[in-house]
Amino acid sequence: MGNELFEFDREYNTQIIGTDEAGRGPASGGVFAAAVAFTEQSSGIEKDLVKLNDSKKLSKKNREELYEIIKEYTINSVVCVEVSEIEKFNILNSSLKAMKLACENVIKRLDHTGILTLVDGNKLIKNYNYPQKYIVKGDSKSASIAAASILAKVERDRYMEKLDMEFPEYNWRQNAGYLTKQHIEAIHKFGVTKYHRRSFLKNIIGEDKQLALKL
């Protein structure tokens, strides 16, 4: 799989930055975005990353292994936009902001001209002053986007594990903030934390005044 993804990027015949996000869907925690630029292309890299794929199609063990290899072979950046901004600007704008910041961090460290940014999904990054192209399902087509998806996913999972240590009642270590049955039951039992996206919980909390903010 990995070789096909690298071939996709090579067809552009320029320096590629791939960007993807993790955490648009959960009801708690920030949204993460990563940007990745492979600084060299070689058969050795492709061999080491032969399992490279969309992070959602990989086991946690494989993601962790690939994470270390990607960090070694790339210029990369991972950015988190926290819940307060998600609630203020909405999840789409927050995701695009995280992508923008991550890509700009990578561009600062690249020496090349003619850089093209490949953005996973069907939206372009707003107020971004560099050439870009969106790629629908890009995390299963482009090596750079797939690598970004893995960095974003691994770092967000680690972040949610830290939040789980603060509020273990919600089992974020396992559900990553998604609204599983157990998570919903915990919200009704223990209330809403500062890490919950209240705009995602309107159908759950409704007018229930008992679900006070738990700081």
Side-chain angles (χ1 to χ4, degrees):
M1 185 66 193
N3 292 347
E4 297 174 17
L5 303 185
F6 280 103
E7 185 59 35
F8 181 92
D9 286 3
R10 275 196 292 269
E11 289 180 0
Y12 288 99
N13 197 32
T14 190
Q15 175 68 61
I16 295 295
I17 296 174
T19 185
D20 198 5
E21 54 73 30
R24 277 186 62 174
S28 54
V31 63
F32 279 62
V36 167
F38 284 91
T39 51
E40 60 177 287
Q41 296 283 331
S42 72
S43 58
I45 292 172
E46 293 186 30
K47 183 179 180 181
D48 287 348
L49 291 173
V50 68
K51 294 180 182 179
L52 186 65
N53 204 341
D54 171 8
S55 64
K56 296 184 290 297
K57 298 177 182 177
L58 297 168
S59 68
K60 181 176 181 179
K61 179 181 178 182
N62 282 339
R63 285 196 300 268
E64 292 280 354
E65 291 173 353
L66 289 168
Y67 175 93
E68 298 300 333
I69 299 170
I70 292 164
K71 294 286 281 187
E72 178 183 352
Y73 281 129
T74 67
I75 294 175
N76 58 78
S77 174
V78 182
V79 170
C80 173
V81 171
E82 293 285 3
V83 172
S84 58
E85 288 199 59
I86 294 172
E87 293 293 84
K88 186 175 181 180
F89 299 112
N90 77 41
I91 186 59
L92 175 60
N93 287 330
S94 298
S95 299
L96 293 174
K97 177 181 178 179
M99 286 182 173
K100 178 177 185 287
L101 294 173
C103 289
E104 290 174 346
N105 288 342
V106 169
I107 286 172
K108 291 175 185 175
R109 296 162 58 197
L110 286 173
D111 297 328
H112 305 271
T113 58
I115 298 167
L116 175 64
T117 301
L118 300 183
V119 184
D120 184 62
N122 62 358
K123 304 288 184 185
L124 293 176
I125 300 171
K126 297 178 180 179
N127 303 314
Y128 187 64
N129 298 320
Y130 304 93
Q132 60 176 315
K133 179 179 181 180
Y134 67 73
I135 307 292
V136 176
K137 297 183 179 179
D139 45 11
S140 61
K141 297 176 182 177
S142 160
S144 301
I145 295 177
S149 78
I150 290 168
L151 295 194
K153 172 64 174 168
V154 169
E155 295 217 11
R156 188 176 191 278
D157 283 350
R158 292 175 178 177
Y159 157 94
M160 291 305 297
E161 289 171 4
K162 290 180 181 178
L163 299 192
D164 179 84
M165 294 174 67
E166 188 173 348
F167 292 109
E169 304 92 335
Y170 304 91
N171 198 27
W172 290 331
R173 177 179 295 274
Q174 295 296 323
N175 62 45
Y178 284 92
L179 287 175
T180 61
K181 180 181 178 182
Q182 181 187 25
H183 189 181
I184 293 171
E185 289 173 350
I187 290 170
H188 284 294
K189 183 175 181 179
F190 300 107
V192 178
T193 73
K194 59 186 177 183
Y195 299 118
H196 278 102
R197 306 173 187 174
R198 294 178 74 88
S199 59
F200 282 50
L201 301 175
K202 291 177 181 177
N203 292 335
I204 294 174
I205 61 178
E207 298 298 320
D208 190 343
K209 302 301 183 182
Q210 300 301 312
L211 294 178
L213 183 65
K214 180 178 179 181
L215 298 175

